[in-house]
Amino acid sequence: MTNIRTILQRAARDLNISGSPSPRLDAELLLMHFLKIDRLHLCTHPERELTEEEAAAFMQRVERRSLGEPVAYILGEKEFWSLRFEVGREVLIPRPETECLIEELLRFYRPPGEGLRILDIGTGSGAIGVVLARELPAARVGATDISAAALSVARRNALVHGVADRMDFFQGDLLTAVSGNFDIICSNPPYIPDVQYGLLPVGIRDFEPRGALIAGPDGMDFHGRIIREGVHRLKSGGRIFLEIGEGQRDRVEALFREVGGYRDIDCRKDYGGTDRVASARKDN
Ligand code: SAM
Ligand code: GLN
């Protein structure tokens, strides 16, 4: 028999040896989720006993984390915009930086967003599209992805968060499966330059979908295509919001100018001070 205190110590020690940057936190998150208890319970009941079977099953999860798997995949969920999103190996784990794209967009559009047509390109888990559908409860939100498996996850997240009736899902390459024009086009597309893929942390490179990450020699293949195709699919005065990676601001702004038909080209930083959300408005 073992109890919460001892098994946490064991798990944190194993995770520390395996090189996790946050061994104790990882161990606590895995255990809270496994035992379906909150932090208060974890802290106030260190003597609670685990059965042999519970201990073994929990340590199997710790082992997965030791091999580099992100905690979110082991738990099968990740919090984004204070909502719980189902995630699995078929989708990128939503990142906190992506909340900046939503914040930036919501500076321009007030709830309930009556009559707005929004498109989230490369929706993955559905994180952006689902949050927008909740924040703008009268808007209609389209979500596209090339991956059918990702779209299944996004659909389930839309259902769980009560917005499935105002969302439409399309499988296809960027805008190809979607018809009509939009007030807002937004995307967190893949943006890792091909050559940097091998240098990514193990948790990303070996566990997250490659097709969600790499984007050509300078990581801007998708931005270029979305900006070019988007200008034909935005209503006049409509806006486009694109997440970008470090060092991509100048190029993305140049793309908006080269393609033409856009004004109010702008970029906002994330809370780490990195340029993160490029936006522009379609000319009238
Ligand atoms: N929007 C999600 C988020 O912010 O967490 C996922 C973003 S992930 C960086 C990029 C997504 O684009 C992946 O789900 C990937 O499957 C999708 N994708 C890649 N190539 C695509 C294409 N040609 N057309 C549509 N979606 C694509
Ligand atoms: N921000 C992701 C990372 O951690 C990349 C996401 C993307 O390519 N859109 O590497």
Side-chain angles (χ1 to χ4, degrees):
M1 283 290 251
T2 179
N3 64 26
I4 283 183
R5 180 189 295 115
T6 358
I7 204 150
L8 271 181
Q9 279 165 357
R10 208 168 112 205
R13 191 197 57 214
D14 287 7
L15 291 168
N16 189 31
I17 292 168
S18 76
S20 160
S22 48
R24 178 78 193 187
L25 178 66
D26 289 358
E28 288 175 355
L29 285 172
L30 290 169
L31 190 60
M32 288 189 291
H33 189 267
F34 178 73
L35 294 177
K36 298 187 176 61
I37 56 173
D38 59 15
R39 183 167 295 282
L40 183 65
H41 186 104
L42 192 80
C43 297
T44 50
H45 297 77
E47 313 297 339
R48 172 173 162 182
E49 301 280 350
L50 276 74
T51 65
E52 295 289 333
E53 293 75 30
E54 281 175 335
F58 167 66
M59 288 309 290
Q60 261 177 18
R61 296 180 185 208
V62 172
E63 169 81 8
R64 283 170 67 184
R65 178 68 194 125
S66 298
L67 296 171
E69 186 168 349
V71 170
Y73 285 148
I74 303 172
L75 304 185
E77 65 184 38
K78 173 77 183 178
E79 192 176 298
F80 180 79
W81 203 264
S82 303
L83 297 174
R84 195 176 295 177
F85 280 83
E86 173 192 330
V87 295
R89 295 279 299 271
E90 53 281 75
V91 298
L92 188 96
I93 299 165
R95 307 286 203 264
E97 306 89 89
T98 303
E99 296 184 344
C100 295
L101 183 150
I102 296 172
E103 284 173 3
E104 182 63 9
L105 189 157
L106 291 175
R107 286 202 311 125
F108 298 95
Y109 301 93
R110 298 267 161 263
E114 186 72 49
L116 284 181
R117 276 198 83 199
I118 304 174
L119 185 66
D120 171 22
I121 300 177
T123 196
S125 62
I128 298 175
V130 167
V131 167
L132 290 178
R134 284 181 63 105
E135 294 292 328
L136 299 169
R140 198 141 195 104
V141 180
T144 79
D145 209 287
I146 195 101
S147 155
L151 282 173
S152 304
V153 176
R155 264 196 207 94
R156 287 198 292 276
N157 280 319
L159 274 172
V160 166
H161 294 302
V163 291
D165 56 331
R166 281 183 299 106
M167 289 190 71
D168 307 295
F169 295 92
F170 307 96
Q171 190 194 352
D173 181 24
L174 300 189
L175 285 137
T176 45
V178 190
S179 58
N181 286 356
F182 296 89
D183 301 279
I184 303 167
I185 292 179
C186 56
S187 182
N188 170 20
Y191 56 66
I192 305 292
D194 295 348
V195 289
Q196 278 178 23
Y197 184 70
L199 308 172
L200 289 172
V202 173
I204 301 178
R205 189 194 62 212
D206 293 352
F207 292 92
E208 300 207 86
R210 186 184 159 89
L213 293 163
I214 56 164
D218 62 357
M220 305 215 52
D221 281 8
F222 291 94
H223 297 96
R225 290 186 53 207
I226 294 170
I227 290 169
R228 273 189 291 277
E229 295 173 29
V231 75
H232 304 293
R233 306 299 291 279
L234 279 170
K235 296 184 192 170
S236 96
R239 290 179 197 269
I240 181 163
F241 299 86
L242 300 176
E243 182 168 323
I244 61 171
E246 207 166 339
Q248 294 180 335
R249 174 182 182 163
D250 288 349
R251 183 74 197 110
V252 82
E253 291 188 347
L255 276 165
F256 277 120
R257 286 192 294 272
E258 281 161 31
V259 170
Y262 291 104
R263 63 187 163 98
D264 301 350
I265 299 162
D266 199 5
C267 187
R268 131 164 204 183
K269 292 184 192 305
D270 63 23
Y271 292 105
T274 303
D275 289 320
R276 189 61 68 193
V277 188
S279 62
R281 183 166 195 201
K282 185 177 163 162
D283 265 336
N284 288 317

